[in-house]
Amino acid sequence: MLIYTSCVAFEKTKMNLTELLEKVNSKKTFFEFVAALKKDKEDEDNKEKVNPTSPYSSGVNGWENETIPDFLDSIHAYGQDNEDIDLDWKSFALLLYSGKFYE
């Protein structure tokens, strides 16, 4: 799914989320990806309001998880199923935790 991002590095550029994911190599590009992911979900939510897809398939932009618990469950399952993930686990946990309270 192609999206428009407001991120400085990708401003006014159509980028595929997979392409953005491949470009993540720093804190800056990580948060640019997070912003693009959020915009993609918001775009899907807006499209679904106008023309809903079947409840038995993914959304128009490919989102399978509509709720935060489902989203976190998928992150957990993916992490458990993929041994090759290498990152600073505590920092990533803190980022996820901050979604609970940070405004």
Side-chain angles (χ1 to χ4, degrees), residues 32-68:
E32 287 172 346
F33 174 76
V34 170
L37 192 62
K38 176 184 176 240
K39 286 188 177 293
D40 185 63
K41 180 59 174 139
E42 290 171 338
D43 178 63
E44 180 178 274
D45 289 348
N46 289 332
K47 289 175 181 173
E48 291 288 334
K49 287 177 187 173
V50 174
N51 189 17
T53 57
S54 167
Y56 304 107
S57 66
S58 61
V60 68
N61 288 7
W63 283 80
E64 295 284 346
N65 303 298
E66 294 297 317
T67 68
I68 291 174

Side-chain angles (χ1 to χ4, degrees), residues 30-31 34 68 71-72 75-76 79 85-102:
F30 171 77
F31 285 109
V34 170
I68 291 174
F71 183 76
L72 293 173
I75 291 171
H76 178 258
I85 298 174
D86 185 28
L87 54 90
D88 177 344
W89 296 106
K90 187 170 185 177
S91 295
F92 193 68
L94 178 60
L95 289 172
L96 291 174
Y97 183 60
S98 71
K100 178 179 178 180
F101 62 85
Y102 193 81

